[in-house]
Amino acid sequence: MTIEQHIEELRAELNNACDAAERRQIEGELELARAELAVQLAEQVGTIKTEPPF
């Protein structure tokens, strides 16, 4: 599963969540997935380097 697919699934789960605690948990997972996607995109375009500085 790609990160984009995971984000879409989390969005769908969030739309169907009825419980406030469940919504908060899904929102947290969604935020982490979006951050991971941002890191992957930054790595691809060379904005950031993931290698150690030494």
Side-chain angles (χ1 to χ4, degrees), residues 31-45:
E31 184 177 340
L32 289 174
R34 286 178 175 155
E36 177 64 29
L37 178 59
V39 168
Q40 288 179 7
L41 292 173
E43 288 173 347
Q44 287 177 1
V45 297

Side-chain angles (χ1 to χ4, degrees), residues 3-38:
I3 191 72
E4 291 91 353
Q5 290 170 327
H6 185 62
I7 289 171
E8 287 304 314
E9 285 190 11
L10 288 170
R11 285 181 185 155
E13 285 182 35
L14 186 59
N15 287 334
N16 294 322
C18 297
D19 183 73
E22 183 181 11
R23 288 186 62 81
R24 284 191 300 272
Q25 179 183 358
I26 295 169
E27 287 170 344
E29 291 176 24
L30 184 57
E31 184 177 340
L32 289 174
R34 286 178 175 155
E36 177 64 29
L37 178 59

